[in-house]
């Protein structure tokens, strides 16, 4: 069994007396790409927010250490970068800001910082546009720029919520392929995906949510038995070969009964 990034006994998100999310025995492997898919889109966003420490009570560990505390920055975690606010800023400088803390923005970036920004732009296929102004980028390129800025950060865990906005199916597939190759080098990536997204076939671990609860978790191939029913299914992380895939078309029409 590979190392686990998250090993959560229980995670809850409540609003008053209502339970919005309640997941037990959730496991997310380290150095893999995990896709979180939900029958109702807000559920997968709530899960990523909870994993970042923004909501609810949690019992478990992250990289073998205490989970992030609500309201506090955790250097282990990076989220999807904020949208650019200066349209005249060059793309390369915007991505570099993800590498540098606010206290260092006025200092000259190191060669290591520049290399990390260049690699991030290459991963999202924007290296050729590095010198362009953000105002000259298309909406899809601006979204890819946000992802590149997130990738440039040194945090070992990347939580990408709603990252597919403005991206075509082909762009989603290409990026998931590249993230899957990046993850074994030391990055743990957890991302949300729309239901039935073909990009899920390139994820190495899946977390399926329905009705605010964990429906299934495992590799795409391991979740095939869960696709025909609605009972929670918990697979041993990567008991199947990591390269095995299960097409999204074989999943149920809806994750919830």
């Amino acid at each position: 069994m590979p190392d686990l990034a998250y090993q959560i006994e229980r995670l809850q998100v409540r609003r008053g007396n209502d339970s919005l999310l309640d997941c037990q025995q959730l496991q997310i492997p380290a150095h893999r790409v995990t896709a979180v898919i939900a029958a109702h889109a807000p559920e997968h966003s709530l899960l990523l927010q909870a994993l970042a420490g923004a909501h609810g009570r949690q019992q478990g560990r992250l990289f073998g250490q205490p989970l992030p505390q609500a309201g506090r920055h955790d250097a282990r975690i990076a989220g999807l970068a904020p949208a650019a606010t200066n349209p005249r800023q060059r793309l390369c400088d915007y991505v570099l800001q993800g590498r540098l803390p606010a206290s260092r923005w006025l200092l000259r970036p190191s060669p290591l910082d520049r290399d990390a920004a260049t690699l991030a732009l290459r991963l999202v296929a924007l290296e050729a546009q590095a010198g362009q102004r953000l105002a000259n980028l298309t909406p899809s390129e601006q979204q890819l720029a946000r992802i590149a800025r997130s990738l440039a950060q040194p945090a070992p865990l990347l939580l990408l919520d709603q990252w597919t906005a403005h991206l075509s199916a082909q762009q989603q597939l290409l990026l998931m392929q590249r993230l899957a190759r990046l993850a074994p080098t030391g990055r743990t990536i957890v991302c949300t995906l729309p239901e039935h997204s073909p990009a899920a076939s390139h994820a190495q671990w899946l977390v399926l949510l329905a009705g605010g609860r964990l429906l299934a978790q495992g590799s795409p191939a391991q979740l095939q038995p869960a696709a025909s029913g609605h009972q929670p299914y918990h697979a041993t992380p990567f008991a199947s070969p990591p390269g095995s895939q299960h097409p999204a078309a074989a999943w149920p029409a809806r994750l919830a009964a």
Side-chain angles (χ1 to χ4, degrees):
M1 178 184 297
D3 292 337
L4 291 174
Y6 283 100
Q7 189 168 15
I8 293 180
E9 299 168 15
R10 189 166 191 181
L11 175 152
Q12 290 180 295
V13 178
R14 302 185 65 86
R15 179 182 296 158
N17 294 325
D18 297 328
S19 176
L20 303 181
L21 192 65
D22 191 343
C23 296
Q24 299 184 39
Q25 303 305 317
L26 174 64
Q27 296 182 341
I28 295 180
H31 308 152
R32 300 290 190 274
V33 176
T34 293
V36 181
I37 304 173
H40 304 289
E43 293 179 351
H44 57 36
S45 293
L46 275 176
L47 178 58
L48 260 67
Q49 293 166 14
L51 292 176
H55 294 295
R57 297 180 299 172
Q58 300 183 55
Q59 300 173 18
R61 311 285 282 178
L62 171 59
F63 296 124
Q65 300 296 321
L67 292 168
Q69 297 184 26
R72 294 190 179 183
H73 171 71
D74 194 311
R76 299 170 295 178
I77 302 174
L80 181 62
T85 57
N86 179 6
R88 294 184 56 80
Q89 187 177 31
R90 292 191 307 164
L91 172 60
C92 57
D93 294 331
Y94 168 75
V95 174
L96 269 172
Q97 281 186 337
R99 182 74 184 178
L100 304 174
S103 60
R104 291 182 54 205
W105 283 0
L106 298 180
L107 300 180
R108 178 173 296 180
S110 69
L112 182 61
D113 294 328
R114 294 191 179 279
D115 288 346
T118 298
L119 175 59
L121 287 168
R122 187 177 304 148
L123 283 168
V124 301
L126 285 183
E127 189 175 11
Q129 289 95 323
Q132 291 189 19
R133 304 288 183 185
L134 294 173
N136 296 330
L137 301 180
T138 66
S140 63
E141 289 172 340
Q142 291 179 14
Q143 182 72 355
L144 289 170
R146 295 178 65 188
I147 298 170
R149 176 164 164 166
S150 302
L151 289 168
Q153 298 184 54
L157 173 64
L158 186 59
L159 300 177
L160 293 179
D161 184 23
Q162 305 292 342
W163 64 277
T164 59
H166 306 298
L167 301 186
S168 67
Q170 183 177 4
Q171 288 174 314
Q172 295 176 34
L173 282 167
L174 177 61
L175 189 53
M176 283 290 283
Q177 287 177 324
R178 294 183 173 186
L179 292 178
R181 291 198 293 268
L182 172 68
T185 67
R187 302 300 295 272
T188 299
I189 301 167
V190 185
C191 63
T192 59
L193 278 179
E195 195 178 6
H196 308 309
S197 171
S201 63
H202 294 289
Q204 297 151 319
W205 190 254
L206 298 176
V207 173
L208 309 184
L209 303 174
R213 295 184 179 275
L214 178 63
L215 171 67
Q217 60 181 336
S219 72
Q222 290 169 328
L223 289 192
Q224 186 171 3
S228 58
H230 302 292
Q231 295 301 314
Y233 177 80
H234 303 272
T236 302
F238 297 96
S240 299
S244 60
Q245 296 177 355
H246 174 56
W251 298 346
R254 297 292 295 173
L255 292 178

